[in-house]
Amino acid sequence: MEKIVLLGDEAVALAAVQAGLSAAYSYPGTPASEIMEYLLRLSEGGKNYRAEWSVNEKVAYEEALGVSFAGKRAMVSFKHVGLNVAADPFINSAITGANGGLVVVVADDPGMHSSQNEQDSRYYADFARIICLEPTNHQEAYDMTREAFDLSERFGIPVMVRLVTRLAHSRSSVEPREPRPQNEGRPYGNAQDWTLLPANARRRFKVLLDHQNSLQEYSEETNYNQLVLSSKGKKFGVVVSGIAYNYFKEVSAYLPLEPSYLKVSTYPFPVKKLHQLLPMVDEILVIEEGYPFIERFIRGVSDISGKTIRGKLDGSLPPSGELTPDLVAKALGLPERVGLKVTDIKLANRPPQLCSGCPHIDTYKALNEALREFPRGNVFSDIGCYTLGALPPFQAIKTCVCMGASISMAKGGADAGIYPSVAVIGDSTFAHSGITPLLDAVYSNTNMTVIILDNGTVAMTGTQPSFGTGEPLDRLLIGLGIDKNHLKVIVPLPRNHQENVKIIKEELDYEGISVIIARRECIQSLGEKKRSPK
Amino acid sequence: MKYDIILAGVGGQGILSIAFVLDNAALEEGLFFKQAEVHGMSQRGGAVQSHLRLSDKLIYSDLIPLGQAEMILSVEPLETLRYLEYLRPEGVIVSSSTPYTNIPDYPPLEEVCREIKKAPVHVLIESEKLAKEAGSAKAQNMVMLGAASIFLPLKEESLKKYIQILFERRGDQIIQTNLKALDLGRQAALASRRE
Ligand code: SF4
């Protein structure tokens, strides 16, 4: 078939559709959002699969699991921290097993381009004892995603595809293959396997453990794990995985001799292949994007006495941040190369900023003024564009931890005596993980104020639809037990400033729980609607 | 042949549109390409860059090693300077001279341009002026692509084809504006090379 230009994320999406996908679910998060965006775009052409944003990653995962139970092929995709939210169904789905192919695509963000940590999802796959595929390039992202569905059905387990930012958000050409039809007529999952009562769960866990040998065999045999032995470059060898392989191949051309190397793209780790490499070399450099997962494995399980293992643990490569071809070149002992330098001026930084005209600007201005009389107060915040309220000129918020934490932490803060204790959370983040902690605070009638920034969209990741916006949000809040007299709606605009300050102050003064909705649409999503009249 | 380009600018200036045209033109001409971009925050106004690599051989790394880029192509002069370390010593800078001053400590423009001019091969383009002349200040990115096109290993025809495809849904007038921007940028770069 003809080659097409695709993002790594898009290659995964296309592969899933052509692997006979019946349904896919996701929650927006960089760098994974484009997987669902592309599935949605492809389905505009009348494709017969479902592709939906879900309210959060746990829900997305469970929806996909339901599809798998029904015998159809399902995919769920999110960023690395999304897997924390979905960890419960994820781990347990390795015990129930998959019926229809179930593929979990996780996009890690080494270097934290737009994340609060750089956790390595390979540990999760290992923890759940399932297969993890780690493509190195776009074609592999396509091919391996297609294979992931087959593997899932062959072994009856969910299969993880691990991406990293540099692959998810890089474009190259991909050659697709003939599509496969969706599953038809597969029976439902077996009730005894899928009902995790202790007796069933014990039996199922044993099945999973018994499977480990076949997973290991697969990993030893697949062409994606490649051992290349060099007759000349003895003594020194390389074990390299995922995107790091690209950096290694980019710079190894400059080495006098290409070393023997083991390229790892599927886990469980191919131990036998490592044992073929070990006798050939005295020293191994492990190059991997993320945590020293392979490096620790090699140090832990292999007979490496007398050999030097280098990598992130001994400082040959940095323990955090993203790899680059230059870092890999340095670790291989190649000379540093540099380009030009700015000599005479200081380069001012240009950090991301709230768009001019953004509703959050007016909310923060009003909130800051209302809080001026309360020096002991605190504003707990959450994840979204409004997290930029931490930076000057606002410096309005003091925390940002994970989705929904603003409300739970504000309750904890209030319990510890903080007054006023304020939570600031976006509408979509509220739907994702804010509803349950608010219910908790209502139940305890905590003295706190929750400000929901209702801009009608998931703005930061590219204006995807929000589940908790507008009038339905108001009704939801009443339903949760918020007193009508302390549920206020303000419109964050410069001309409403004085009135908004007054309303916020009144609610800060109120002893009990109040919710203020600051409602005005994100100007980016407004602009998009104007550009494409639908 | 290999040709590595650092694309730079400020969020909202259309860096990724330049990348779209180059990626597709490269595929059309049978070249290998890889293009790594940073996106995610949809707020406007932050620094944005992309590594774009073209070659007639298989390309491994999505990122360009330091000191390896043949070109820095930037829609904003201060942003040009941020990536100098990627440029090979004899590489070329194609930069806009129109500043985007959304930060308080933006250095004096003359000093910024003076730094750019230290590069042995540089082309400074008044992108805003030319874009307006083409019909829209938003077309600065295509002005800059036009200026870069005199160095690129890609045919002008392929660039034009994908500009048309990129703006297809926005109507004929926008297509014409952007094609004109491409041409004005190209002419300006040729003129500056003759000087
Ligand atoms: S994308 Fe929307 S919510 Fe985010 S900063 Fe811009 S206007 Fe504000």
Side-chain angles (χ1 to χ4, degrees):
Chain A
M1 283 168 100
E2 209 179 312
K3 281 190 179 179
I4 44 176
V5 178
L6 293 175
L7 278 179
D9 275 348
E10 294 170 346
V12 166
L14 181 65
V17 172
Q18 296 183 335
L21 179 80
S22 292
Y25 307 90
S26 182
Y27 184 82
T30 310
S33 310
E34 288 79 4
I35 298 172
M36 179 53 69
E37 303 265 351
Y38 197 65
L39 287 171
L40 290 167
R41 227 178 312 146
L42 286 174
S43 66
E44 278 169 14
K47 288 256 170 29
N48 56 345
Y49 59 85
R50 287 187 88 93
E52 287 174 4
W53 294 115
S54 305
V55 70
N56 67 30
E57 292 87 351
K58 177 176 188 288
V59 171
Y61 199 100
E62 289 156 356
E63 287 166 342
L65 194 56
V67 174
S68 170
F69 175 86
K72 306 276 186 178
R73 291 189 159 190
M75 181 166 77
V76 57
S77 57
F78 31 62
K79 68 185 298 175
H80 57 344
V81 288
L83 183 53
N84 296 339
V85 178
D88 204 355
F90 169 68
I91 302 289
N92 292 321
S93 68
I95 314 279
T96 61
N99 180 25
L102 175 59
V103 174
V104 192
V105 184
V106 192
D108 289 356
D109 189 16
M112 303 184 226
H113 291 282
S114 46
S115 307
Q116 64 271 47
N117 75 32
E118 55 178 26
Q119 66 188 55
D120 185 331
S121 298
R122 292 177 298 172
Y123 281 91
Y124 262 117
D126 188 51
F127 191 31
R129 318 204 69 151
I130 62 166
I131 292 177
C132 173
L133 306 179
E134 193 187 10
T136 64
N137 59 36
H138 298 71
Q139 189 64 48
E140 277 193 6
Y142 176 88
D143 294 336
M144 294 176 95
T145 303
R146 286 201 62 165
E147 178 152 345
F149 283 96
D150 297 338
L151 291 172
S152 172
E153 284 172 7
R154 177 168 143 204
F155 295 115
I157 50 166
V159 170
M160 178 187 287
V161 175
R162 181 210 189 206
L163 301 177
V164 292
T165 304
R166 283 304 166 189
L167 180 54
H169 280 179
S170 162
R171 261 174 238 277
S172 194
S173 61
V174 172
E175 191 176 347
R177 281 182 283 126
E178 278 309 310
R180 168 200 184 276
Q182 294 186 27
N183 287 355
E184 282 304 335
R186 222 180 149 92
Y188 294 167
N190 177 352
Q192 269 94 51
D193 294 348
W194 286 71
T195 312
L196 296 182
L197 288 164
N200 289 339
R202 275 180 221 119
R203 180 177 51 79
R204 287 295 303 167
F205 188 51
K206 192 164 173 306
V207 171
L208 178 64
L209 294 183
D210 290 346
H211 261 47
Q212 296 301 309
N213 285 340
S214 3
L215 305 189
Q216 188 69 46
E217 249 162 60
Y218 162 75
S219 206
E220 299 292 351
E221 275 155 27
T222 174
N223 288 333
Y224 292 122
N225 292 333
Q226 233 177 2
L227 179 63
V228 178
L229 295 175
S230 143
S231 51
K232 291 180 243 142
K234 287 213 173 170
K235 297 217 178 306
F236 176 62
V238 170
V239 177
V240 59
S241 80
I243 195 110
Y245 172 75
N246 299 343
Y247 305 146
F248 167 65
K249 288 297 278 186
E250 175 84 21
V251 301
S252 67
Y254 298 102
L255 289 170
L257 294 170
E258 184 167 76
S260 297
Y261 66 86
L262 172 58
K263 166 187 178 272
V264 181
S265 282
T266 82
Y267 308 82
F269 183 82
V271 188
K272 279 193 206 140
K273 286 209 163 102
L274 175 72
H275 284 297
Q276 280 170 266
L277 174 66
L278 274 175
M280 316 276 299
V281 296
D282 301 331
E283 182 181 337
I284 287 183
L285 175 68
V286 185
I287 317 173
E288 54 193 323
E289 187 75 293
Y291 291 1
F293 177 76
I294 294 178
E295 192 180 342
R296 287 178 63 179
F297 184 87
I298 292 180
R299 286 173 189 275
V301 305
S302 306
D303 179 13
I304 51 162
S305 51
K307 317 242 178 221
T308 311
I309 309 291
R310 290 170 49 218
K312 297 192 172 200
L313 294 175
D314 78 330
S316 296
L317 288 160
S320 68
E322 213 180 7
L323 292 176
T324 65
D326 303 293
L327 289 169
V328 172
K330 191 169 162 234
L332 287 167
L334 288 164
E336 220 180 314
R337 274 189 299 200
V338 277
L340 299 173
K341 276 208 171 59
V342 179
T343 43
D344 294 333
I345 59 172
K346 192 177 163 289
L347 279 186
N349 279 334
R350 205 189 300 256
Q353 301 175 355
L354 293 172
C355 307
S356 81
C358 172
H360 303 331
I361 294 175
D362 299 301
T363 305
Y364 279 134
K365 281 186 178 160
L367 177 61
N368 276 352
E369 190 170 326
L371 278 167
R372 215 163 276 158
E373 292 163 25
F374 302 97
R376 304 271 304 145
N378 193 66
V379 180
F380 298 88
S381 190
D382 229 294
I383 295 180
C385 288
Y386 49 92
T387 315
L388 294 174
L391 308 176
F394 309 107
Q395 294 172 297
I397 63 169
K398 298 289 189 301
T399 70
C400 161
V401 180
C402 63
M403 298 287 281
S406 59
I407 298 181
S408 349
M409 287 179 70
K411 176 175 183 293
D415 290 349
I418 292 179
Y419 171 76
S421 190
V422 181
V424 172
I425 184 168
D427 51 310
S428 184
T429 310
F430 178 70
H432 179 290
S433 285
I435 300 171
T436 38
L438 185 60
L439 192 58
D440 209 276
V442 168
Y443 186 80
S444 319
N445 194 26
T446 307
N447 185 16
M448 61 188 264
T449 305
V450 176
I451 302 181
I452 301 179
L453 306 168
D454 182 6
N455 62 359
T457 186
V458 191
M460 187 170 61
T461 49
T463 65
Q464 292 84 4
S466 161
F467 285 78
T469 176
E471 203 264 332
L473 172 62
D474 304 354
R475 275 186 283 134
L476 174 66
L477 290 162
I478 299 288
L480 285 173
I482 300 295
D483 180 348
K484 272 200 197 92
N485 299 317
H486 296 283
L487 174 59
K488 300 281 166 68
V489 179
I490 63 173
V491 180
L493 276 169
R495 68 175 133 87
N496 296 341
H497 179 74
Q498 283 317 324
E499 196 195 333
N500 292 347
V501 172
K502 185 170 152 272
I503 294 173
I504 296 174
K505 266 195 199 156
E506 280 166 12
E507 295 311 322
L508 295 178
D509 280 334
Y510 168 66
E511 209 184 312
I513 183 146
S514 41
V515 175
I516 301 168
I517 301 173
R519 180 167 289 149
R520 177 155 77 80
E521 185 165 355
C522 158
I523 57 168
Q524 294 301 340
S525 73
L526 206 60
E528 271 159 37
K529 278 184 202 155
K530 277 194 199 133
R531 279 197 294 275
S532 60
K534 258 194 252 169
Chain B
M1 187 281 295
K2 94 161 177 67
Y3 205 91
D4 290 343
I5 309 167
I6 298 281
L7 293 175
V10 178
Q13 283 193 315
I15 308 304
L16 297 186
S17 298
I18 299 180
F20 172 88
V21 174
L22 291 175
D23 292 351
N24 284 283
L27 184 63
E28 168 110 0
E29 296 191 19
L31 295 177
F32 291 96
F33 74 93
K34 274 197 169 181
Q35 180 237 325
E37 53 198 49
V38 169
H39 51 114
M41 300 249 179
S42 57
Q43 306 93 0
R44 301 305 185 252
V48 173
Q49 49 127 336
S50 171
H51 290 213
L52 202 155
R53 317 192 70 186
L54 308 171
S55 176
D56 54 6
K57 288 185 210 64
L58 186 67
I59 302 166
Y60 285 106
S61 173
D62 301 74
L63 296 176
I64 300 171
L66 297 175
Q68 284 286 290
E70 271 72 20
M71 175 187 281
I72 294 177
L73 168 52
S74 173
V75 192
E76 209 284 338
L78 181 63
E79 295 310 313
T80 305
L81 296 180
R82 233 180 267 293
Y83 308 103
L84 282 190
E85 58 178 353
Y86 284 99
L87 196 64
R88 54 171 68 235
E90 68 285 11
V92 359
I93 293 182
V94 179
S95 173
S96 162
S97 60
T98 310
Y100 190 113
T101 46
N102 63 339
I103 42 172
D105 44 353
Y106 198 101
L109 182 61
E110 316 80 69
E111 290 180 18
V112 173
C113 291
R114 205 180 306 138
E115 286 287 330
I116 294 174
K117 286 180 186 156
K118 285 184 195 161
V121 192
H122 58 264
V123 178
L124 271 164
I125 301 286
E126 290 177 286
S127 60
E128 189 176 36
K129 180 171 152 255
L130 295 179
K132 282 186 180 154
E133 198 179 318
S136 161
K138 286 193 187 144
Q140 287 190 62
N141 54 349
M142 292 302 140
V143 170
M144 294 314 302
L145 176 58
S149 70
I150 68 167
F151 301 101
L152 295 174
L154 294 167
K155 297 195 191 80
E156 205 186 339
E157 287 324 300
S158 337
L159 302 181
K160 284 187 178 156
K161 175 174 170 188
Y162 286 98
I163 291 177
Q164 286 180 354
I165 291 174
L166 176 63
F167 295 106
E168 202 166 48
R169 290 205 293 194
R170 312 276 287 278
D172 196 49
Q173 204 194 329
I174 294 195
I175 295 179
Q176 291 315 322
T177 298
N178 281 283
L179 288 174
K180 182 148 186 229
L182 183 84
D183 190 52
L184 289 176
R186 188 177 171 89
Q187 297 312 329
L190 286 170
S192 113
R193 295 296 289 151
R194 275 193 297 268
E195 270 167 23

